[in-house]
């Protein structure tokens, strides 16, 4: 696959670059460039990222970082069986448990939520850092929802991390998942409160919490093209209007808060 001229391979993480030092120099450069493309495309073009990951895998299948990148590219493309195989290979090479939560989520993607829950209770979870443990909690809650156990999903998410007022990298997603579970269980007012808390923590727009909150508040955004009144000499002006209906936002009892 073609590599853009602005990609040098030097953009990759220093730890990955160190892993590639076991390869001949020219080969290491080619692999690095393909890994850069995986990272560049994985959010906007998962299939494109997957294609570059397969090239890197053909060139250096014995490098753990390559197997991990291939796993994430397959995961982003919803190729969960392939992703799980790559993550397992990377874990065998490194002995690292960091991939445990995403491996469990692959089990969910394969329609095996019970297996994901088994992994959530495995000893490996205790070896994860705080971020990994929160991720595992999110996966376990998702597995509960897959099984129709909404109340259990809500309880799974209730934790000191959810109750904390400090904002960490995982806070927005954790609050969002809790709000979404509450809403699925029919607890609209509590869900509204937690979507609002998710918005407060979502500094980089990683969730659509603001849209969900607006929806619960009855806010509707309409694009209006009024050529008769708003069209200037240069063309039509886009006008955005918003209307809101009164919504009961009384908070629930303390039992609904974490």
């Amino acid at each position: 696959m073609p590599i853009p001229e602005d990609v040098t391979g030097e953009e990759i993480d220093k730890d990955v670059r160190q892993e590639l030092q076991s390869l001949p120099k020219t080969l290491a450069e080619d692999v690095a460039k393909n890994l850069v493309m995986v990272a560049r495309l994985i959010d906007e073009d998962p299939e494109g990222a997957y294609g570059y990951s397969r090239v890197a895998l053909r060139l250096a299948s014995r490098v753990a970082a390559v197997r991990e990148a291939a796993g994430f590219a397959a995961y982003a493309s919803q190729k969960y069986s392939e992703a799980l195989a790559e993550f397992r290979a990377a874990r065998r090479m490194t002995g690292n448990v960091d991939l445990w939560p995403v491996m469990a989520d692959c089990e969910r993607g394969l329609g095996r939520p019970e297996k994901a829950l088994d992994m959530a209770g495995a000893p490996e979870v205790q070896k994860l850092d705080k971020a990994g443990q929160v991720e595992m909690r999110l996966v376990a809650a998702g597995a509960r929802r897959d099984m129709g156990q909404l109340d259990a999903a809500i309880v799974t998410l209730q934790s000191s991390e959810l109750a904390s007022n400090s904002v960490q990298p995982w806070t927005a997603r954790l609050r969002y998942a809790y709000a979404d579970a509450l809403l699925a269980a029919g607890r609209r007012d509590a869900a509204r409160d937690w979507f609002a808390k998710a918005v407060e923590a979502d500094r980089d727009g990683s969730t659509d919490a603001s849209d969900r909150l607006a929806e619960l508040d009855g806010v509707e955004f309409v694009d209006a093209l009024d050529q008769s009144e708003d069209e200037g000499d240069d063309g039509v002006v886009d006008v955005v209007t918003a209307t809101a209906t009164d919504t009961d936002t009384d908070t629930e009892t303390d039992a609904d808060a974490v």
Side-chain angles (χ1 to χ4, degrees):
M1 297 181 68
I3 303 289
E5 293 183 2
D6 65 315
V7 174
T8 66
E10 294 297 319
E11 302 90 339
I12 62 173
D13 182 85
K14 63 179 181 180
D15 292 335
V16 177
R17 189 180 302 114
Q18 186 172 0
E19 280 194 61
L20 296 180
Q21 287 180 356
S22 62
L23 303 174
K25 187 175 185 297
T26 301
L27 179 59
E29 291 175 352
D30 289 342
V31 174
K33 290 178 181 179
N34 279 280
L35 292 181
V36 170
M37 293 305 300
V38 172
R40 177 179 290 188
L41 297 176
I42 196 164
D43 291 330
E44 301 298 329
D45 181 11
E47 288 295 335
Y50 176 77
Y52 283 103
S53 77
R54 300 307 297 177
V55 175
L57 196 58
R58 287 197 299 271
L59 295 174
S61 62
R62 295 186 179 183
V63 177
V66 171
R67 303 303 289 264
E68 185 173 329
F72 277 110
Y75 177 80
S77 302
Q78 299 184 3
K79 298 175 176 64
Y80 297 116
S81 181
E82 189 173 325
L84 185 57
E86 296 301 338
F87 290 143
R88 284 173 174 168
R91 184 167 179 267
R92 284 195 301 270
M93 292 176 179
T94 65
N96 199 315
V97 299
D98 291 352
L99 295 171
W100 196 253
V102 71
M103 290 169 63
D105 207 39
C106 286
E107 296 288 359
R108 285 187 59 213
L110 291 168
R112 301 193 292 248
E114 298 89 350
K115 177 62 176 177
L117 288 176
D118 288 343
M119 294 179 68
E124 284 83 355
V125 176
Q126 302 306 315
K127 301 176 183 178
L128 295 169
D129 60 15
K130 180 62 68 176
Q133 291 179 2
V134 170
E135 194 65 35
M136 192 73 247
R137 188 178 293 275
L138 288 166
V139 173
R144 291 292 186 188
R145 291 190 62 173
D146 293 343
M147 299 167 67
Q149 301 173 1
L150 291 177
D151 289 341
I154 290 170
V155 171
T156 298
L157 293 169
Q158 292 173 345
S159 59
S160 59
E161 292 82 15
L162 181 66
S164 176
N165 290 324
S166 66
V167 175
Q168 303 295 333
W170 58 77
T171 302
R173 292 178 60 239
L174 184 58
R175 292 178 180 179
Y176 182 96
Y178 189 60
D180 195 47
L182 288 169
L183 188 60
R187 296 163 63 178
R188 182 185 177 93
D189 291 343
R192 193 269 172 205
D193 292 341
W194 281 97
F195 276 126
K197 292 178 181 179
V199 171
E200 293 174 359
D202 195 1
R203 297 168 178 171
D204 59 358
S206 61
T207 74
D208 65 347
S210 60
D211 293 338
R212 300 293 298 277
L213 180 62
E215 182 181 354
L216 287 174
D217 284 346
V219 177
E220 182 180 1
F221 292 93
V222 181
D223 289 330
L225 297 178
D226 190 342
Q227 296 185 4
S228 61
E229 295 182 7
D230 298 308
E231 184 175 358
D233 294 336
D234 295 330
V236 178
V237 176
D238 290 340
V239 179
V240 178
T241 61
T243 61
T245 59
D246 291 336
T247 303
D248 180 6
T249 58
D250 291 340
T251 57
E252 296 198 357
T253 62
D254 291 342
D256 292 322
V258 175

